[in-house]
Amino acid sequence: MSWSLRRMTRYVAQCKYLEQLKQNDDLCSQAYRKGSYLMFSNGKPLLHFGDKSAGLTIKFTNFIDAQTHCGEDLACRSVLLGIDEETDDIPMFASPVTSGIESEIETGTKFADLRTATLGLPSYDASLVARGYSLLTWLETMKFCPSCATKLSRNVAGTMLSCGTCPKANHHYPVIHPVAITRVEDPTGKKVLLVRQPKHPAGMYTCIAGFIESGESVEKAVRREIAEEAGIVVGKVEYFDSQTWPLPQNSLMLACITRAMPGSTTLDIDKQELEDAKWFTKEEVLKSYKTILANPNLFRNNEGNEFIIPPSGTIAHSLLKNWIGL
């Protein structure tokens, strides 16, 4: 990654301004009028569906239009997403709409399901949708203090809740669920272990993944999950990348790479967790990659049960694409 001095200076300024908006309620209240708004209806973000070259984009709206669709109490119901990358100080917010506005939205836009948004948007936009959905859902469900049951109050940014009764630990923040997802190679690096669960689309195999438990390091969680589900032992664990993932809850996917230890390649599958697990060659994964590139509809209609890897937009797809050198 290479940034110009101007972009680096702007980025630092944006981060500092964003933190001020979270901490200063008066400043954040003033910023609402100049903000851009991503509207949600029943957990579905408003997107613009362009042609194949343009793809999906977030449909932002201004303060006046957002008030019309989301209510006069906009600042009490919205959450702060970030600062528009192309500006110095234009904040972005997510807001839940009032019911029954679907007929009023512009042609070419619609409230899309979260999976469509997460997989179809560019990574930066997908992260904004994930943040908006997670914060709005959190505020909807986290109403009372877990210690004393007092009704909680929010900051204007919608990123923190406070209890006015508890003398200590009276601030509450959204819970993030860390998940380790791992590309497991055989000792030679020529095969990769992929698994499938009954809920997966027909024919789809993916990388082993599991929640990181309290007190675990990422490396320990990776080794434990692979031993539990596949019955093999792995060696050194290396970090690859990360991805926020809002389904089914606010998760942070931590992608890793490891190899099975010599003599530990015979699978002992946990049938309560997995439907199947197999070792695949690079040629097989490459063929699957080309197949879904040519026919994305296989994720919805794969009557031949053809082997497919996870779709573009998932970090499992990135792990496998990297393995085959693309």
Side-chain angles (χ1 to χ4, degrees):
M1 182 171 66
S2 178
W3 285 4
S4 66
L5 178 60
R6 179 180 179 184
R7 186 178 181 188
M8 289 189 286
T9 302
R10 169 178 277 183
Y11 177 74
V12 171
Q14 289 171 334
C15 289
K16 290 181 178 296
Y17 180 53
L18 182 63
E19 185 62 18
Q20 290 173 354
L21 293 177
K22 295 175 188 176
Q23 295 181 353
N24 189 323
D25 282 350
D26 290 337
L27 183 65
C28 192
S29 295
Q30 297 168 13
Y32 267 95
R33 285 196 166 273
K34 65 179 180 181
S36 298
Y37 292 82
L38 164 59
M39 297 190 293
F40 279 80
S41 176
N42 296 318
K44 297 180 178 181
L46 184 62
L47 305 182
H48 179 265
F49 287 72
D51 56 28
K52 288 186 177 181
S53 61
L56 289 181
T57 55
I58 292 176
K59 174 59 180 175
F60 283 105
T61 190
N62 59 38
F63 175 76
I64 299 299
D65 289 341
Q67 263 196 330
T68 301
H69 295 307
C70 303
E72 293 295 323
D73 57 345
L74 186 63
C76 300
R77 305 174 69 231
S78 302
V79 294
L80 178 64
L81 298 179
I83 307 300
D84 187 336
E85 282 190 315
E86 302 302 320
T87 71
D88 293 327
D89 61 352
I90 302 298
M92 299 176 291
F93 299 93
S95 308
V97 302
T98 54
S99 59
I101 75 154
E102 280 76 4
S103 60
E104 302 175 25
I105 61 177
E106 295 179 14
T107 302
T109 64
K110 73 174 183 178
F111 290 101
D113 67 87
L114 203 60
R115 183 170 291 275
T116 297
T118 303
L119 296 179
L121 288 168
S123 59
Y124 175 73
D125 287 359
S127 70
L128 292 179
V129 167
R131 177 174 171 81
Y133 174 81
S134 298
L135 283 174
L136 291 174
T137 302
W138 173 66
L139 290 175
E140 185 63 29
T141 55
M142 185 75 172
K143 298 288 189 181
F144 302 96
C145 176
S147 298
C148 69
T150 297
K151 187 174 177 60
L152 296 169
S153 59
R154 54 166 281 178
N155 65 341
V156 175
T159 57
M160 179 185 73
L161 293 170
S162 301
C163 175
T165 302
C166 291
K168 294 183 179 180
N170 62 336
H171 296 314
H172 302 274
Y173 301 90
V175 175
I176 298 174
H177 303 272
V179 176
I181 179 168
T182 309
R183 186 180 84 209
V184 183
E185 302 171 13
D186 76 344
T188 67
K190 294 180 179 180
K191 293 183 179 181
V192 66
L193 175 63
L194 300 179
V195 302
R196 68 169 280 104
Q197 296 177 328
K199 65 180 181 180
H200 289 159
M204 194 188 89
Y205 284 73
T206 186
C207 299
I208 286 182
F211 288 102
I212 300 173
E213 297 181 355
S214 298
E216 279 190 322
S217 65
V218 175
E219 294 81 1
K220 184 176 180 180
V222 166
R223 293 190 179 97
R224 172 187 55 77
E225 195 70 26
I226 294 168
E228 284 179 2
E229 295 194 359
I232 64 173
V233 181
V234 298
K236 183 180 179 181
V237 177
E238 297 181 350
Y239 173 76
F240 174 76
D241 203 353
S242 65
Q243 179 185 33
T244 182
W245 191 254
L247 300 168
Q249 53 194 330
N250 186 21
S251 299
L252 178 62
M253 308 293 290
L254 301 169
C256 300
I257 301 170
T258 189
R259 285 189 178 183
M261 288 188 176
S264 186
T265 56
T266 301
L267 303 180
D268 180 10
I269 303 170
D270 181 356
K271 290 295 186 178
Q272 292 186 334
E273 289 286 334
L274 303 177
E275 181 178 286
D276 194 20
K278 293 180 182 179
W279 292 102
F280 292 88
T281 65
K282 288 189 176 183
E283 291 74 20
E284 289 172 315
V285 173
L286 178 60
K287 179 181 177 182
S288 173
Y289 171 81
K290 292 179 177 178
T291 297
I292 61 172
L293 197 64
N295 185 12
N297 289 328
L298 279 176
F299 291 106
R300 294 188 293 271
N301 182 17
N302 188 7
E303 294 180 356
N305 206 34
E306 188 170 359
F307 163 53
I308 53 176
I309 62 173
S312 175
T314 63
I315 202 160
H317 182 94
S318 298
L319 277 165
L320 295 174
K321 187 176 177 181
N322 169 265
W323 185 58
I324 57 178
L326 297 177

